[in-house]
Amino acid sequence: MLRISPTDTPPAPMAAGQGWPLFSTAATRQIERDCARRLPPHQLMERAGLAIAKLALAIAPHAQRIWIACGPGNNGGDGFEAAAQLKAMLPHAQITVSEVRTPAELPSDAQISRDKARQAGVQWLHDAPVDLGSQDLCIDALLGIGLSPRPLDKASAAELRLLQLLAQVRQCACSVLCVDLASGLDADTGQYLREFAPGHIAARQARHTLALLTLQPGLFTGQGRDACGQIWWDDLGCGIAGTPGTTNPAAARPTAHLNTRSSASSSARPHDSHKGSFGDVAVLGGEGLGLRGLSMTGAAWLAALAALHAGAGRVMLALLDEALAQGIAPWPEIMLRRPAAQDWGQATVVCGCGGGEAVQAWLPHILSQAPQLVLDADALNAVAASPTLAQQLSQRAARQHGTVLTPHPLEAARLLETSTTQVQADRLQSCLQLARKFQCTVLLKGSGTVVANPRQQVWINASGNARLATGGTGDVLAGLIAALWAQDRSADMAAIEGAFRHGQLADRWPADRPFSASALAMRLGEQ
């Protein structure tokens, strides 16, 4: 059994930045069917139940009261099997089960495991209320990846019972262990379906999820990270599906990969090197007070500061308010430029950070000249508002000019001419759609940042936390990506590694040190 966290490294055959394979619901079911055919009858469910029981005891080693909510399908069958195993391991503990369907309505494997649980002495609650306050552990085996929503006004009695049990699971004060996936969550998108969206989850409820056979994208992006908590994974002895060098029973292809590490530190540099060995980064942004009375020069400074501390050989900053560019730089290593004086064809360019409306006039020139371009913030908004700029952006790839877009969900919605809700409803597909539309690498920010390219390759970032939900951290990320790209990473790898290092710093942030975007930028060199 494996605990998935931002410090886990993928199996040896996986290349850095490639990461753990993530499979869609359809592919996971295909793999499950193939594994079940290769094993003796019922053995796959027995392995699943044993894995759940072992993890339950690891999470709550002194538990004496465990409640298992079992759903109408094989996820519920795994719960019944776990109940039988737990009763054998803890003969004096109170193991109780609530179920959704009658035995005759269950799949055959689930019926067998239900009978085993009854014979082992597991208690059934039937319609009796659960004593939520006295449980030491709750196991959510209601839905897993077997989500099949129906309008509530057409729901059967069993479906209404399922919703009732799911509400009780969310009200438990004890730790919750979800089987496969937090019930109600879409395994492919990481979003709750409307019918199953939580109205309330108990405060401080520790949540764990045991993914069986495969890992799915929904565990790691959107609402998945909060819903599923600590992720554990057990391939049930069937091999790591999709990993090179191992058996992939159903020959299913991963939908995405989870990146849980960065490559070697940029501090390991050859002795015989100089500043020209590590590339130039030029930042264009920072609308001043003169245009609209809304100064955003700090955003451009943050991007430049991040590029400096991430190891770029030289960093130039061209502020869109030229009056400010005549002052003394707070960081003398960052060279100030007038936009017209900078050679935009000889650097990795970051454009848009704090650019406001002033950046629009410069975008045609930047899009035509920059060989490697990170577009962020107001540059993205300007492209979204101009079909001419959008066409110019999409044509860069044909000239062998590389581009990385770094939108947050609202900026992505503007670029796709849709809503933030639609973008968040399927973050992977939204990111892929942007990558195809503009023929470039796209990094969609948010919980479980997504990176995609036009070749339909997708990565989800495993690092990061809510510390990053503060102004300026996106500008730091843009500068970091540019610095990595300038140091000979590919566009994809610069985005993937940049997202991971950015989040990793937030994960490792000392509890006694105030967090800010500028502090984050200055710590990039410590990794």
Side-chain angles (χ1 to χ4, degrees), residues 498-513:
F500 184 81
R501 288 177 59 179
H502 187 252
Q504 186 182 52
L505 264 180
D507 289 334
R508 295 177 176 177
W509 201 264
D512 60 349
R513 184 180 297 190

Side-chain angles (χ1 to χ4, degrees), residues 111-313:
Q111 289 183 34
I112 294 170
S113 290
R114 183 186 186 278
D115 291 343
K116 289 170 65 176
R118 298 283 291 191
Q119 293 165 11
V122 172
Q123 298 180 32
W124 249 249
L125 289 177
H126 299 294
D127 294 328
V130 182
D131 184 0
L132 298 177
S134 68
Q135 303 302 319
D136 299 312
L137 179 69
C138 167
I139 298 178
D140 169 10
L142 288 168
L143 284 169
I145 65 171
L147 192 61
S148 54
R150 288 180 58 182
L152 294 184
D153 59 353
K154 299 180 181 178
S156 67
E159 288 166 328
L160 292 174
R161 171 67 169 157
L162 186 150
L163 291 173
Q164 179 189 45
L165 292 176
L166 182 54
Q168 291 176 351
V169 167
R170 291 167 174 168
Q171 291 164 10
C172 274
C174 64
S175 296
V176 173
L177 170 57
C178 305
V179 179
D180 276 324
L181 194 72
S183 289
L185 201 70
D186 188 299
D188 296 326
T189 68
Q191 300 298 328
Y192 281 108
L193 270 70
R194 182 178 58 83
E195 292 85 352
F196 300 103
H200 171 74
I201 292 181
R204 302 189 190 91
Q205 185 186 82
R207 296 181 73 80
H208 300 258
T209 297
L210 175 58
L212 299 171
L213 286 180
T214 71
L215 295 164
Q216 295 88 38
L219 292 162
F220 302 102
T221 194
Q223 297 169 304
R225 291 179 66 170
D226 287 326
C228 297
Q230 177 60 61
I231 308 298
W232 304 79
W233 173 47
D234 195 317
D235 69 1
L236 304 183
C238 293
I240 305 171
T243 302
T246 62
T247 301
N248 182 350
R253 296 185 61 182
T255 296
H257 286 85
L258 179 74
N259 187 49
T260 59
R261 66 176 178 181
S262 63
S263 61
S265 170
S266 59
S267 63
R269 294 179 162 186
H271 192 275
D272 184 23
S273 58
H274 52 84
K275 62 187 177 185
S277 305
F278 306 107
D280 291 350
V281 172
V283 179
L284 177 67
E287 177 183 293
L289 286 170
L291 185 62
R292 296 181 296 152
L294 301 170
S295 176
M296 295 182 285
T297 55
W301 275 110
L302 286 169
L305 185 63
L308 176 70
H309 286 279

Side-chain angles (χ1 to χ4, degrees), residues 362-377:
W362 278 96
L363 269 172
H365 182 72
I366 298 296
L367 289 169
S368 65
Q369 295 296 315
Q372 297 184 166
L373 175 61
V374 180
L375 279 184
D376 187 42

Side-chain angles (χ1 to χ4, degrees), residues 266 269 277-279 307 310-313 348 480 482-489:
S266 59
R269 294 179 162 186
S277 305
F278 306 107
T348 298
L480 170 58
L484 295 174
W485 199 0
Q487 295 172 75
D488 292 330
R489 270 73 161 186

